[in-house]
Amino acid sequence: MSLSDWVSAGKVRARITDEGALEVRCAGLTTQTKYYKTLLKEFFRKEFHPLRPGYGDYSVHIMMEYTGDAPWMDLDNLAKALLDSLTGNVFEDDHQVARLLVERRVGEREGIWLKAEAIDT
């Protein structure tokens, strides 16, 4: 298996890109943002083993895609839940996130996409 191959379990799939970034996709949306924290932490613990927490600064890009009307979801709460799920897996602490972009857009299907990568200094 190549590092760039997707690992899937349930609604979550993830891979390490050829550039070394973590890319995660989660199918479906819920306004209960804490759901994502638990879902992803369990996925990283049980299914996705190539992660080792790193040190230094990170860039994280989060995209919420929806169909129809935009859901009543605070993007800051979504970001917090997702960053919490990455803590201890991608980086030691979310204070290492030096760049954070969180956005929503209309998509072909509902879900969450994120990319986390170390920033070269």
Side-chain angles (χ1 to χ4, degrees):
M1 178 178 88
S2 162
L3 279 181
S4 62
D5 290 340
W6 290 94
V7 174
S8 299
K11 294 183 175 192
V12 180
R13 64 186 183 134
R15 69 178 179 161
I16 304 295
T17 67
D18 293 337
E19 296 79 28
L22 170 69
E23 190 172 0
V24 179
R25 295 189 184 271
C26 182
L29 286 178
T30 176
T31 57
Q32 301 299 313
T33 57
K34 290 181 183 178
Y35 164 83
Y36 296 107
K37 177 180 177 181
T38 303
L39 180 71
L40 292 177
K41 275 207 175 273
E42 283 298 300
F43 174 78
F44 293 141
R45 186 176 69 81
K46 292 180 178 178
E47 307 294 338
F48 198 77
H49 304 291
L51 288 180
R52 297 289 179 264
Y55 300 94
D57 289 340
Y58 281 81
S59 172
V60 179
H61 182 183
I62 299 168
M63 175 70 68
M64 178 189 73
E65 294 183 316
Y66 63 92
T67 59
D69 294 332
W72 289 98
M73 183 187 305
D74 292 340
L75 290 180
D76 61 323
N77 292 337
L78 175 64
K80 181 63 176 155
L82 294 173
L83 292 177
D84 285 349
S85 74
L86 298 178
T87 299
N89 292 298
V90 175
F91 36 74
E92 287 292 321
D93 190 86
D94 59 9
H95 80 270
Q96 292 172 253
V97 177
R99 181 183 313 130
L100 176 62
L101 174 60
V102 186
E103 53 188 322
R104 70 173 177 233
R105 70 174 179 206
V106 175
E108 294 181 17
R109 64 184 73 135
E110 293 188 333
I112 305 294
W113 170 88
L114 76 80
K115 184 176 185 179
E117 57 192 329
I119 297 173
D120 293 328
T121 54

Coordinates of all heavy atoms in Angstrom, one line a residue, residues 3-58:
L3 N 1.5 5.3 0.6 CA 1.0 6.2 1.6 C -0.1 7.1 1.0 O -0.9 7.6 1.8 CB 2.2 7.1 2.1 CG 3.1 6.6 3.1 CD1 4.1 7.6 3.5 CD2 2.3 6.1 4.4
S4 N -0.1 7.3 -0.3 CA -1.1 8.1 -0.9 C -2.5 7.4 -1.1 O -3.4 8.0 -1.5 CB -0.7 8.8 -2.2 OG -0.4 7.7 -3.1
D5 N -2.5 6.1 -0.8 CA -3.7 5.3 -0.9 C -4.7 5.7 0.3 O -4.3 6.0 1.4 CB -3.5 3.8 -0.8 CG -2.7 3.3 -2.0 OD1 -2.8 3.9 -3.0 OD2 -2.2 2.2 -1.8
W6 N -6.0 5.8 0.0 CA -7.0 6.1 0.9 C -7.2 4.9 1.9 O -7.3 3.8 1.4 CB -8.3 6.5 0.3 CG -8.2 7.8 -0.5 CD1 -8.0 8.0 -1.8 CD2 -8.5 9.1 0.1 NE1 -8.0 9.3 -2.1 CE2 -8.3 10.0 -1.0 CE3 -8.8 9.5 1.3 CZ2 -8.5 11.4 -0.8 CZ3 -9.0 10.9 1.5 CH2 -8.8 11.8 0.5
V7 N -7.4 5.2 3.2 CA -7.8 4.2 4.2 C -9.2 4.6 4.5 O -9.5 5.8 4.9 CB -6.9 4.3 5.4 CG1 -7.5 3.4 6.5 CG2 -5.5 3.9 5.0
S8 N -10.2 3.7 4.4 CA -11.6 4.0 4.7 C -12.2 3.1 5.8 O -11.8 2.0 5.9 CB -12.4 3.8 3.4 OG -12.0 4.6 2.4
A9 N -13.1 3.7 6.6 CA -13.8 3.0 7.6 C -15.1 3.8 7.8 O -15.0 5.0 8.2 CB -13.0 2.8 8.9
G10 N -16.2 3.2 7.5 CA -17.5 3.9 7.7 C -17.6 5.2 6.9 O -17.4 5.1 5.7
K11 N -17.9 6.3 7.5 CA -18.0 7.5 6.8 C -16.7 8.3 6.6 O -16.7 9.4 6.0 CB -19.0 8.4 7.6 CG -20.4 7.9 7.7 CD -21.3 8.9 8.4 CE -22.7 8.4 8.4 NZ -23.7 9.4 8.8
V12 N -15.6 7.8 7.1 CA -14.3 8.5 7.1 C -13.3 7.8 6.1 O -13.2 6.6 6.1 CB -13.7 8.6 8.5 CG1 -12.4 9.4 8.5 CG2 -14.7 9.3 9.4
R13 N -12.6 8.6 5.4 CA -11.4 8.1 4.7 C -10.3 9.1 4.8 O -10.6 10.3 4.9 CB -11.8 7.7 3.2 CG -12.2 8.9 2.4 CD -12.6 8.3 1.0 NE -13.0 9.4 0.1 CZ -12.6 9.5 -1.1 NH1 -11.8 8.6 -1.7 NH2 -12.9 10.6 -1.8
A14 N -9.1 8.6 4.8 CA -8.0 9.5 4.9 C -6.8 8.9 4.2 O -6.7 7.8 3.9 CB -7.6 9.7 6.4
R15 N -5.8 9.8 3.9 CA -4.6 9.4 3.3 C -3.5 10.4 3.7 O -3.8 11.6 4.1 CB -4.7 9.3 1.8 CG -4.9 10.7 1.1 CD -5.0 10.6 -0.4 NE -5.2 11.9 -1.0 CZ -4.9 12.1 -2.2 NH1 -4.5 11.2 -3.0 NH2 -5.2 13.3 -2.7
I16 N -2.2 10.0 3.5 CA -1.1 10.9 3.5 C -0.7 11.2 2.1 O -0.5 10.2 1.3 CB 0.1 10.3 4.3 CG1 -0.3 9.9 5.7 CG2 1.3 11.3 4.3 CD1 -0.7 11.0 6.6
T17 N -0.8 12.4 1.7 CA -0.5 12.8 0.3 C 1.0 12.6 0.0 O 1.8 12.4 0.9 CB -0.8 14.2 -0.1 OG1 0.0 15.1 0.7 CG2 -2.3 14.5 0.3
D18 N 1.4 12.6 -1.3 CA 2.8 12.4 -1.7 C 3.6 13.6 -1.1 O 4.8 13.4 -0.9 CB 2.9 12.4 -3.2 CG 2.3 11.2 -3.8 OD1 2.2 10.2 -3.1 OD2 2.0 11.2 -5.0
E19 N 3.0 14.7 -0.8 CA 3.7 15.9 -0.2 C 3.8 15.8 1.3 O 4.4 16.6 2.0 CB 3.0 17.2 -0.5 CG 3.0 17.5 -2.0 CD 2.0 16.7 -2.8 OE1 0.9 16.3 -2.2 OE2 2.2 16.4 -4.0
G20 N 3.2 14.7 2.0 CA 3.2 14.5 3.4 C 2.1 15.2 4.2 O 2.1 15.1 5.4
A21 N 1.1 15.7 3.5 CA -0.1 16.3 4.2 C -1.1 15.2 4.5 O -1.2 14.2 3.8 CB -0.7 17.4 3.3
L22 N -1.8 15.4 5.6 CA -3.0 14.5 5.9 C -4.2 15.1 5.2 O -4.5 16.3 5.4 CB -3.2 14.5 7.4 CG -4.5 13.8 7.8 CD1 -4.4 12.3 7.6 CD2 -4.8 14.1 9.3
E23 N -4.9 14.3 4.5 CA -6.2 14.7 3.9 C -7.2 13.7 4.4 O -7.1 12.5 4.4 CB -6.0 14.5 2.3 CG -7.2 15.1 1.6 CD -7.0 15.2 0.1 OE1 -5.9 14.7 -0.4 OE2 -7.9 15.6 -0.6
V24 N -8.4 14.3 4.8 CA -9.5 13.5 5.4 C -10.8 14.0 4.8 O -11.0 15.2 4.6 CB -9.6 13.8 6.9 CG1 -10.7 13.0 7.6 CG2 -8.3 13.4 7.7
R25 N -11.6 13.0 4.5 CA -13.0 13.2 4.0 C -13.9 12.5 4.9 O -13.7 11.3 5.3 CB -13.1 12.8 2.6 CG -12.3 13.6 1.6 CD -12.6 13.3 0.2 NE -11.7 14.0 -0.7 CZ -11.9 15.2 -1.2 NH1 -13.0 15.9 -0.8 NH2 -11.0 15.8 -2.0
C26 N -15.0 13.2 5.3 CA -16.0 12.6 6.1 C -17.4 12.8 5.4 O -17.8 14.0 5.2 CB -16.0 13.2 7.5 SG -17.2 12.5 8.6
A27 N -18.1 11.7 5.1 CA -19.3 11.8 4.4 C -20.5 12.3 5.3 O -20.5 11.9 6.5 CB -19.7 10.5 3.7
G28 N -21.4 13.1 4.8 CA -22.5 13.5 5.6 C -22.2 14.7 6.5 O -21.1 15.0 6.7
L29 N -23.3 15.4 6.9 CA -23.2 16.5 7.8 C -24.1 16.3 9.0 O -25.2 15.7 8.8 CB -23.6 17.8 7.0 CG -22.7 18.4 6.0 CD1 -23.3 19.6 5.4 CD2 -21.3 18.7 6.7
T30 N -23.7 16.9 10.1 CA -24.6 17.0 11.2 C -24.2 18.3 11.9 O -23.1 18.8 11.8 CB -24.4 15.9 12.3 OG1 -25.2 16.1 13.4 CG2 -22.9 15.7 12.7
T31 N -25.2 19.0 12.5 CA -25.0 20.2 13.2 C -24.3 20.0 14.6 O -23.9 20.9 15.3 CB -26.3 21.0 13.4 OG1 -27.2 20.2 14.1 CG2 -26.8 21.4 12.1
Q32 N -24.3 18.7 15.0 CA -23.6 18.3 16.3 C -22.1 18.2 16.0 O -21.6 17.1 15.8 CB -24.2 17.0 16.8 CG -25.7 17.1 17.1 CD -26.0 18.1 18.1 OE1 -25.4 18.2 19.2 NE2 -27.0 19.0 17.8
T33 N -21.4 19.3 16.1 CA -20.0 19.3 15.7 C -19.1 18.4 16.6 O -18.1 17.9 16.1 CB -19.4 20.7 15.8 OG1 -19.6 21.3 17.1 CG2 -20.1 21.6 14.7
K34 N -19.5 18.1 17.8 CA -18.7 17.2 18.7 C -18.7 15.8 18.1 O -17.8 15.0 18.4 CB -19.3 17.2 20.1 CG -19.0 18.5 20.8 CD -19.6 18.5 22.2 CE -19.4 19.8 22.9 NZ -19.9 19.8 24.3
Y35 N -19.7 15.5 17.3 CA -19.8 14.2 16.6 C -18.5 13.9 15.8 O -17.9 12.8 15.8 CB -21.0 14.2 15.7 CG -21.0 13.1 14.6 CD1 -21.4 11.8 15.0 CD2 -20.6 13.3 13.3 CE1 -21.5 10.8 14.0 CE2 -20.6 12.3 12.4 CZ -21.1 11.1 12.7 OH -21.1 10.1 11.8
Y36 N -18.0 14.9 15.1 CA -16.8 14.8 14.3 C -15.5 14.5 15.1 O -14.7 13.7 14.7 CB -16.6 16.0 13.4 CG -17.7 16.2 12.4 CD1 -18.6 17.2 12.6 CD2 -17.9 15.4 11.4 CE1 -19.7 17.4 11.8 CE2 -18.9 15.6 10.5 CZ -19.8 16.6 10.7 OH -20.9 16.7 9.8
K37 N -15.5 15.1 16.3 CA -14.3 14.9 17.2 C -14.2 13.4 17.5 O -13.2 12.8 17.4 CB -14.4 15.8 18.4 CG -13.3 15.6 19.4 CD -13.4 16.4 20.6 CE -12.4 16.2 21.7 NZ -12.5 17.0 22.8
T38 N -15.3 12.9 18.0 CA -15.3 11.5 18.4 C -15.1 10.5 17.2 O -14.3 9.6 17.3 CB -16.7 11.1 19.1 OG1 -16.8 12.0 20.2 CG2 -16.7 9.7 19.6
L39 N -15.8 10.8 16.1 CA -15.7 10.0 14.9 C -14.2 9.9 14.4 O -13.7 8.8 14.1 CB -16.6 10.5 13.8 CG -16.6 9.8 12.5 CD1 -17.3 8.5 12.6 CD2 -17.3 10.6 11.4
L40 N -13.6 11.1 14.3 CA -12.2 11.1 13.8 C -11.2 10.5 14.7 O -10.3 9.9 14.4 CB -11.9 12.5 13.3 CG -12.7 13.0 12.1 CD1 -12.3 14.4 11.8 CD2 -12.4 12.1 10.9
K41 N -11.4 10.8 16.0 CA -10.4 10.3 17.0 C -10.4 8.8 17.0 O -9.4 8.1 17.0 CB -10.7 10.8 18.4 CG -10.1 12.2 18.7 CD -9.8 12.3 20.2 CE -9.1 13.6 20.5 NZ -7.7 13.4 20.4
E42 N -11.6 8.2 16.9 CA -11.8 6.7 16.8 C -11.2 6.2 15.5 O -10.5 5.2 15.5 CB -13.2 6.3 16.9 CG -13.7 6.3 18.4 CD -13.0 5.4 19.3 OE1 -13.0 4.2 19.0 OE2 -12.4 5.9 20.3
F43 N -11.4 6.9 14.4 CA -10.8 6.5 13.2 C -9.3 6.5 13.2 O -8.7 5.5 12.8 CB -11.3 7.4 12.0 CG -10.7 7.1 10.7 CD1 -11.1 6.1 9.9 CD2 -9.7 8.0 10.2 CE1 -10.5 5.8 8.7 CE2 -9.1 7.7 9.0 CZ -9.5 6.6 8.2
F44 N -8.7 7.5 13.7 CA -7.3 7.6 13.8 C -6.7 6.5 14.8 O -5.7 5.9 14.5 CB -6.8 9.0 14.3 CG -7.1 10.1 13.3 CD1 -7.5 11.3 13.8 CD2 -6.9 9.9 12.0 CE1 -7.7 12.4 12.9 CE2 -7.1 10.9 11.1 CZ -7.6 12.2 11.5
R45 N -7.4 6.2 15.8 CA -7.0 5.2 16.8 C -7.1 3.8 16.3 O -6.1 3.0 16.4 CB -7.8 5.3 18.1 CG -7.3 4.5 19.2 CD -8.1 4.7 20.5 NE -9.5 4.2 20.4 CZ -9.8 2.9 20.5 NH1 -8.9 2.0 20.8 NH2 -11.1 2.6 20.5
K46 N -8.2 3.5 15.6 CA -8.4 2.1 15.1 C -8.0 1.8 13.7 O -7.6 0.7 13.5 CB -9.9 1.8 15.2 CG -10.4 1.8 16.6 CD -11.9 1.5 16.6 CE -12.5 1.4 18.0 NZ -13.9 1.1 18.0
E47 N -8.1 2.8 12.8 CA -7.9 2.5 11.4 C -6.7 3.1 10.7 O -6.2 2.5 9.8 CB -9.2 2.9 10.6 CG -10.5 2.4 11.2 CD -10.6 0.9 11.1 OE1 -10.0 0.3 10.2 OE2 -11.4 0.3 11.8
F48 N -6.3 4.3 11.2 CA -5.3 5.0 10.4 C -4.0 5.2 11.3 O -4.0 6.0 12.1 CB -5.9 6.4 10.1 CG -5.1 7.1 9.0 CD1 -5.3 6.7 7.7 CD2 -4.2 8.1 9.2 CE1 -4.6 7.3 6.6 CE2 -3.6 8.7 8.2 CZ -3.8 8.3 6.9
H49 N -3.1 4.3 11.0 CA -1.9 4.2 11.8 C -0.6 5.0 11.4 O 0.3 5.1 12.1 CB -1.5 2.8 12.1 CG -2.7 2.0 12.6 ND1 -3.1 2.2 13.9 CD2 -3.5 1.1 12.1 CE1 -4.2 1.4 14.1 NE2 -4.4 0.7 13.1
P50 N -0.6 5.5 10.1 CA 0.6 6.2 9.7 C 0.9 7.5 10.4 O 1.9 8.2 10.2 CB 0.5 6.4 8.2 CG -0.9 6.2 7.9 CD -1.6 5.5 9.0
L51 N 0.0 8.0 11.3 CA 0.2 9.3 11.9 C 1.1 9.2 13.1 O 1.0 8.3 13.9 CB -1.2 9.8 12.4 CG -2.2 10.3 11.3 CD1 -3.5 10.8 12.0 CD2 -1.6 11.4 10.5
R52 N 1.9 10.2 13.2 CA 2.8 10.5 14.4 C 2.7 12.0 14.7 O 3.0 12.8 13.8 CB 4.2 10.1 14.1 CG 4.4 8.6 13.9 CD 4.2 7.8 15.1 NE 4.4 6.3 14.9 CZ 3.4 5.5 14.6 NH1 2.1 5.9 14.5 NH2 3.6 4.2 14.4
P53 N 2.4 12.4 15.9 CA 2.3 13.8 16.2 C 3.6 14.5 15.9 O 4.7 14.0 16.2 CB 2.0 13.9 17.7 CG 1.5 12.5 18.0 CD 2.1 11.5 17.1
G54 N 3.5 15.6 15.2 CA 4.7 16.4 14.9 C 4.8 17.7 15.7 O 3.9 18.0 16.5
Y55 N 5.9 18.3 15.6 CA 6.2 19.5 16.3 C 6.4 20.6 15.2 O 6.5 20.4 14.1 CB 7.5 19.4 17.1 CG 7.3 18.3 18.2 CD1 7.7 17.0 17.9 CD2 6.7 18.6 19.4 CE1 7.6 16.0 18.8 CE2 6.5 17.6 20.3 CZ 7.0 16.3 20.1 OH 6.8 15.3 21.0
G56 N 6.3 21.9 15.7 CA 6.4 23.0 14.7 C 5.0 23.5 14.3 O 4.0 23.1 14.9
D57 N 5.0 24.3 13.3 CA 3.7 25.0 12.9 C 3.0 24.2 11.8 O 3.7 23.5 11.0 CB 4.0 26.4 12.3 CG 4.4 27.4 13.4 OD1 4.1 27.1 14.6 OD2 5.0 28.4 13.1
Y58 N 1.7 24.3 11.8 CA 0.9 23.6 10.9 C -0.1 24.5 10.2 O -0.5 25.5 10.8 CB 0.1 22.4 11.6 CG 0.9 21.2 11.8 CD1 1.8 21.2 12.9 CD2 0.9 20.2 11.0 CE1 2.6 20.1 13.1 CE2 1.6 19.0 11.2 CZ 2.5 19.0 12.2 OH 3.3 17.9 12.4

